[in-house]
């Protein structure tokens, strides 16, 4: 099994990416949550990624926007995830931390030990809503050209994306 | 109903290791040491049952299925059947993604444990992902061949050309003058190796017949499908296809 380094993981998160399969214009309602997805590849064409976008239908603050890396072999690895203040989190499954907006970040020591890649999380002040989190996510993960498919991206005062259902 | 009394009792039964947060008016989020593998706490909400007066509802407001959907979707009848089986067998209900349980207040403690256990089972459905399960392909194939096709004397890991140990057959069925060579095909490299093996055996004029059993025929690139189709005598597009039709096919081949 491939052993990851933190530098490798950070590069995968931050490398420039282009959208190969765009998100739907409208998030769809399914099983109590709104959802959207998109597929990406690195600008150099070497790596493939998947993005999931979720927002709970009952609690708007319970959202999740994540970047999965799809390696040539083996399971996908969640590299980065923006969450709202849905509940408590523990980085070592014993002590409880924060009830706030937080980001899950893949760590080499977690992946290489066979734990969930995104077990580590830390609070963030980079966003306070789903819309801001989406913008932060796109910027942080260096995803190019998203505004083409998400025309409301720059208008954070307006609800984005539209929802149906 | 004395709602606060039962919440207080629940806290006492958990040795004061839990707390409550008012998520919305009338909806209490349980803060308890039940965690997902990613370190996030299980989403458990407690409220008065909107359907049965005097009962308490424990629910997740769709958070468990939302979380599962990060990496696994319940998007086929079979997946839905398994999900519903987990819910039903554990005495819970589901409506529009919301997993819930209406209970007598006196059963709150045991019901919270039952609910948490069921949520953990639902969350573990991600282990059914194709990339996880497909690693079982060769094990399942081996199990079937060594048990169900025993009358054909299956021999594993056969090298028909002694000087070419790189050309290995997964199984040889020893029937008559022409053995049947079986190749399990899980991915592109294996498809190419199987095609090369068959072509080399033909070139060496070895008498044999060949079968390719695919983990997922449609997942192979078109060129690899064409190459393999040209090289082998018979293909089964999936393990299920092979399990269903192998006996009949082999009976005809060996008649």
């Amino acid at each position: 099994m491939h052993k990851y380094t933190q530098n490798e993981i950070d590069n995968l998160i931050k490398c420039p990416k282009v959208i190969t399969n765009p998100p739907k214009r409208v998030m769809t309602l399914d099983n109590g949550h709104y959802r959207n997805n998109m597929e990406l590849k690195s600008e150099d064409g070497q790596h493939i990624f998947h993005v999931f976008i979720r927002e709970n239908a009952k609690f708007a603050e319970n959202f999740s926007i994540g970047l999965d890396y799809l390696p040539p072999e083996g399971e996908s690895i969640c590299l980065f995830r923006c969450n709202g203040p849905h509940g408590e989190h523990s980085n070592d499954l014993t002590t409880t931390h924060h009830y706030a907006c937080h980001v899950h970040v893949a760590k080499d020591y977690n992946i290489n030990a066979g734990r969930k890649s995104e077990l580590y999380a830390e609070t963030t002040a980079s966003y306070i809503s789903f819309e801001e989190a989406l913008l932060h996510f796109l910027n942080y993960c260096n995803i190019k050209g998203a505004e083409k498919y998400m025309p409301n991206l720059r208008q954070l005062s307006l609800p984005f994306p539209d929802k149906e259902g | 109903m004395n709602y606060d009394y039962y919440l207080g009792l629940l806290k006492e039964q958990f040795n004061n290791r839990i707390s409550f947060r008012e998520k919305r008016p009338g909806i209490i989020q349980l803060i308890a040491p039940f965690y997902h593998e990613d370190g996030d706490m299980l989403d458990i909400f407690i409220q008065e049952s909107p359907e049965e007066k005097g009962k308490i509802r424990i629910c997740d407001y769709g958070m468990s299925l939302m979380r599962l959907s990060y990496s696994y979707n319940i998007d086929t009848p079979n997946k839905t059947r398994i999900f519903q089986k987990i819910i039903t067998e554990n005495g819970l209900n589901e409506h529009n993604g919301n997993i819930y349980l209406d209970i007598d207040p006196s059963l709150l403690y045991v019901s919270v444990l039952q609910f948490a256990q069921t949520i953990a089972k639902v969350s573990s459905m991600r282990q059914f992902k194709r990339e996880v399960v497909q690693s079982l392909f060769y094990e399942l194939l081996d199990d079937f061949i060594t048990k169900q096709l025993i009358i054909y004397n299956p021999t594993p890991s056969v090298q028909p050309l002694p000087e070419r140990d790189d050309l290995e057959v997964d199984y040889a069925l020893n029937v008559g003058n022409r053995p049947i060579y079986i190749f399990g095909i899980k991915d592109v490299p294996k498809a190419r190796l199987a095609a090369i093996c068959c072509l080399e055996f033909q070139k060496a004029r070895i008498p044999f017949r060949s079968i390719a059993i695919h983990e997922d025929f449609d997942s192979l690139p078109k060129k690899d499908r064409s190459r393999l189709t040209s090289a082998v005598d018979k293909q089964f597009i999936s393990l299920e296809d092979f399990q269903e039709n192998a006996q009949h096919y082999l009976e005809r081949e060996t008649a």
Side-chain angles (χ1 to χ4, degrees):
Chain A
M1 184 182 150
H2 178 67
K3 293 284 182 189
Y4 286 87
T5 65
Q6 195 57 45
N7 189 43
E8 189 179 2
I9 293 166
D10 294 342
N11 286 338
L12 286 167
I13 296 173
K14 302 296 286 183
C15 72
K17 301 170 186 72
V18 293
I19 297 171
T20 54
N21 190 10
K24 292 177 182 169
R25 291 276 173 178
V26 178
M27 290 180 81
T28 52
L29 180 62
D30 180 39
N31 278 331
H33 62 270
Y34 292 98
R35 57 182 293 150
N36 215 338
N37 298 306
M38 60 179 157
E39 310 301 326
L40 317 172
K41 69 176 178 184
S42 57
E43 224 168 40
D44 63 8
Q46 295 295 303
H47 305 293
I48 302 172
F49 303 89
H50 169 78
V51 171
F52 58 85
I53 304 167
R54 305 285 185 269
E55 184 183 9
N56 185 266
K58 175 73 176 178
F59 306 122
E61 72 274 24
N62 290 10
F63 57 81
S64 190
I65 307 164
L67 174 73
D68 288 338
Y69 169 54
L70 309 180
E73 288 189 357
E75 289 185 61
S76 60
I77 297 168
C78 186
L79 297 175
F80 185 73
R81 214 175 83 199
C82 294
N83 278 121
H86 58 77
E88 311 280 326
H89 175 86
S90 173
N91 281 331
D92 55 11
L93 300 179
T94 57
T95 50
T96 302
H97 305 287
H98 64 72
Y99 187 96
C101 289
H102 58 281
V103 290
H104 289 253
V105 186
K107 294 293 180 187
D108 56 353
Y109 54 82
N110 281 327
I111 297 174
N112 296 335
R115 292 187 282 266
K116 283 283 279 181
S117 60
E118 75 272 35
L119 173 58
Y120 175 83
E122 59 193 26
T123 57
T124 180
S126 299
Y127 55 83
I128 55 165
S129 66
F130 170 77
E131 292 78 14
E132 286 189 5
L134 182 58
L135 188 61
H136 174 71
F137 175 84
L138 294 168
N139 288 333
Y140 193 87
C141 298
N142 211 349
I143 298 170
K144 312 277 190 187
E147 63 281 356
K148 183 178 167 188
Y149 307 105
M150 303 172 177
N152 293 339
L153 204 54
R154 296 176 192 281
Q155 304 171 40
L156 291 181
S157 58
L158 294 175
F160 172 84
D162 295 333
K163 291 163 192 158
E164 69 175 13
Chain B
M1 176 178 40
N2 191 342
Y3 196 46
D4 290 338
Y5 166 76
Y6 288 109
L7 292 182
L9 181 61
L10 181 65
K11 190 166 184 174
E12 197 177 296
Q13 288 168 321
F14 271 105
N15 279 335
N16 293 315
R17 303 283 178 85
I18 63 168
S19 60
F20 306 103
R21 178 172 284 114
E22 188 174 34
K23 186 74 171 171
R24 295 287 189 276
I27 302 174
I28 303 295
Q29 182 168 6
L30 176 64
I31 309 300
F34 303 131
Y35 296 101
H36 292 284
E37 288 91 340
D38 65 359
D40 284 348
M41 197 168 271
L42 261 59
D43 301 279
I44 302 175
F45 303 96
I46 299 172
Q47 64 180 97
E48 291 190 38
S49 170
E51 293 173 11
E52 294 187 70
K53 191 169 169 54
K55 291 207 167 187
I56 286 180
R57 170 165 292 188
I58 305 169
C59 65
D60 74 343
Y61 277 106
M63 286 299 294
S64 304
L65 287 182
M66 179 174 125
R67 178 176 291 276
L68 181 64
S69 79
Y70 301 168
S71 57
Y72 185 84
N73 290 303
I74 299 178
D75 53 5
T76 67
N78 204 31
K79 291 176 184 177
T80 303
R81 183 183 58 78
I82 294 169
F83 167 67
Q84 290 295 346
K85 186 176 163 69
I86 293 172
I87 295 297
T88 306
E89 283 185 347
N90 287 276
L92 272 57
N93 304 289
E94 180 269 335
H95 180 68
N96 287 341
N98 182 27
I99 299 170
Y100 68 93
L101 176 65
D102 288 335
I103 45 115
D104 188 275
S106 62
L107 300 173
L108 189 53
Y109 175 66
V110 290
S111 299
V112 164
L113 294 177
Q114 177 189 350
F115 189 83
Q117 188 181 33
T118 309
I119 294 302
K121 289 178 185 173
V122 169
S123 302
S124 71
M125 283 185 74
R126 66 188 175 82
Q127 301 298 343
F128 300 151
K129 275 198 300 186
R130 176 172 288 280
E131 60 255 46
V132 177
V133 173
Q134 75 176 2
S135 62
L136 295 175
F137 173 70
Y138 289 119
E139 291 170 42
L140 294 171
L141 180 63
D142 180 78
D143 190 58
F144 180 78
I145 290 175
T146 54
K147 287 182 181 159
Q148 302 299 321
L149 305 183
I150 192 75
I151 60 166
Y152 299 105
N153 304 313
T155 308
S157 306
V158 173
Q159 294 165 7
L161 299 173
E163 70 280 11
R164 294 290 305 270
D165 62 0
D166 57 324
L167 302 178
E168 188 170 280
V169 172
D170 290 335
Y171 300 90
L173 301 184
N174 301 299
V175 286
N177 295 328
R178 286 197 301 153
I180 296 176
Y181 294 156
I182 293 179
F183 299 90
I185 311 291
K186 194 184 83 167
D187 47 28
V188 169
K190 187 61 188 295
R192 291 177 183 171
L193 180 61
I196 291 169
C197 283
C198 289
L199 294 173
E200 288 293 324
F201 299 156
Q202 289 165 20
K203 203 168 124 188
R205 298 191 177 281
I206 295 177
F208 75 101
R209 288 159 288 175
S210 55
I211 298 177
I213 298 139
H214 294 271
E215 197 271 337
D216 181 5
F217 181 73
D218 292 330
S219 69
L220 285 181
K222 188 166 179 282
K223 284 185 180 175
D224 286 293
R225 292 202 302 252
S226 302
R227 211 175 281 129
L228 199 59
T229 302
S230 171
V232 303
D233 298 312
K234 169 69 179 171
Q235 296 183 80
F236 292 91
I237 60 168
S238 66
L239 183 57
E240 292 75 25
D241 182 24
F242 181 63
Q243 290 169 329
E244 200 171 308
N245 300 304
Q247 292 281 12
H248 184 57
Y249 171 77
L250 291 169
E251 282 169 17
R252 282 192 287 118
E253 277 296 298
T254 56

